[in-house]
Each structure stands twice: as C-alpha cells, then as structure tokens.
C-alpha cells in the first residue's frame, strides 16, 4: 500500500492577516494600511464575506506595523513574512478591543491593547464620576476638579508608564 500525505506549506515570502468582524455588514470594504514613520499608506482592500470574514496576503521582509480599517474602526498590528495572523473584533464594541493570534509580535500587541483598554476604562469611569459630581454640585465645580484631579493624573501617568515600559 502506498500512502501519500499532503502537507500545507506556509509561504514564508508573505504574511497573511485574516479574521472575522462580528456585527459587520456583509460586503463592507476593509482596508489594509502600511505604517512607516507615522505615515499611513493604503496598500490593499477587500470586502467582507457574508459571515464577516476577510483576508489579506502581503509581504513585509522585516517586522512592520499595519492597520486594518473598516467603517470608523481601526486596528493596529505587527506582521512580517511567514506570519499567519488571525484577528477577531466586534464592531459593536465601542472600546475598540480586538483579539490577535498567530505571531509573537501579535500576541505582544494584544497584551498591550488589553491593558491599555483597562486604563482607558478607568479614565472613562473617572469622567463619569466627574460628570455625576458636577450634576449634584454644580456650584462646586472647582472643588470637584481639585478633588478628582490627583486620581486622574495618577491613572494617566500609570498608562504612560505602562506603555513606555512595554516598548
């Protein structure tokens, strides 16, 4: 008996970014941007499948930053040739969080995004508390600012320190 095995070969001369958007309109256009020296350049586009799926195949000999944009949502990732990155996001999630897997750099970026979103949630909570305190005490605006400002500064500084230590 002769046995033949077919093995899928990963193309190391290109990278692939594929994934799925929840709560997306089928056939919506999705764009892939390269980001070099803070300059974004559209390098590809596709349309979502009926299930909200998309796929890009491109080349990047060195690790580089890319952005995927759909409607008003943007997602940053890192890719290089040989990577097979999977992305998942819910367009109804206003925090902009998303999941990445398939490359070491993608995993690191996902960790950064998760922690950044935690800090942004803390800041949003402080903003809500500030607004509620102003509604209850409109004549004490400066007192409310003086009371809440140290915590706001502390959380912002924690976020900056986290990002700087991460890099």
């Amino acid at each position: 008996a002769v046995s033949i095995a077919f093995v899928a070969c990963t193309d190391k001369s290109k990278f692939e970014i594929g994934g799925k958007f929840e709560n997306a309109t089928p056939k919506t256009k999705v764009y892939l941007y390269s980001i070099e020296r803070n300059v974004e350049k559209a390098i590809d586009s596709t349309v979502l499948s009926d299930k909200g799926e998309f796929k890009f195949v491109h080349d990047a000999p060195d690790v580089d930053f890319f952005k995927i944009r759909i409607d008003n949502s943007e997602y940053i990732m890192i890719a290089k040739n040989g990577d097979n990155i999977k992305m998942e996001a819910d367009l109804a999630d206003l925090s902009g969080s998303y999941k990445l897997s398939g490359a070491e750099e993608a995993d690191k970026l996902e960790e950064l995004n998760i922690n950044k979103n935690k800090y942004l949630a803390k800041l949003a909570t402080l903003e809500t508390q500030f607004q509620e305190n102003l509604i209850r005490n409109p004549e004490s605006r400066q007192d409310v600012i003086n009371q809440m400002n140290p915590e706001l500064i502390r959380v912002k500084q924690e976020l900056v320190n986290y990002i700087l230590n991460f890099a």
Side-chain angles (χ1 to χ4, degrees):
V2 175
S3 171
I4 300 175
F6 292 96
V7 179
C9 294
T10 303
D11 184 354
K12 299 287 185 192
S13 69
K14 298 191 180 297
F15 68 85
E16 182 178 309
I17 299 173
K20 183 174 183 179
F21 289 108
E22 297 294 331
N23 294 304
T25 306
K27 308 298 182 212
T28 299
K29 201 138 189 167
V30 183
Y31 299 89
L32 177 66
Y33 290 83
S34 66
I35 304 172
E36 295 179 27
R37 296 180 195 88
N38 293 329
V39 176
E40 298 174 5
K41 183 172 103 178
I43 58 173
D44 204 352
S45 65
T46 187
V47 293
L48 292 179
S49 71
D50 290 338
K51 296 178 182 179
E53 298 169 329
F54 70 95
K55 181 168 121 177
F56 292 107
V57 177
H58 254 276
D59 67 297
D62 299 314
V63 175
D64 221 337
F65 284 92
F66 295 89
K67 177 172 76 175
I68 290 183
R69 192 186 74 183
I70 178 170
D71 294 333
N72 293 323
S73 299
E74 297 180 342
Y75 306 92
I76 303 291
M77 58 199 61
I78 303 169
K80 69 179 181 318
N81 288 346
D83 287 348
N84 187 1
I85 298 171
K86 298 293 178 218
M87 180 192 154
E88 295 177 20
D90 184 345
L91 294 182
D93 182 353
L94 299 179
S95 75
S97 64
Y98 56 106
K99 293 181 182 174
L100 292 173
S101 62
E104 182 181 343
E105 289 83 5
D107 295 340
K108 289 178 186 174
L109 192 58
E110 182 176 16
E111 176 189 338
L112 174 66
N113 284 322
I114 288 169
N115 288 311
K116 178 192 71 159
N117 286 336
K118 287 178 185 175
Y119 283 109
L120 293 178
K122 286 181 187 178
L123 290 171
T125 300
L126 287 172
E127 175 65 25
T128 300
Q129 289 173 353
F130 176 73
Q131 294 301 331
E132 290 170 354
N133 287 343
L134 282 183
I135 289 169
R136 284 195 302 269
N137 304 305
E139 69 287 344
S140 304
R141 179 178 178 85
Q142 193 59 47
D143 290 340
V144 171
I145 291 172
N146 291 341
Q147 176 191 4
M148 296 194 71
N149 211 26
E151 179 67 6
L152 180 66
I153 290 170
R154 184 188 68 75
V155 172
K156 283 183 177 181
Q157 191 59 52
E158 284 179 6
L159 173 58
V160 168
N161 289 341
Y162 172 77
I163 291 171
L164 290 175
N165 288 333
F166 189 87

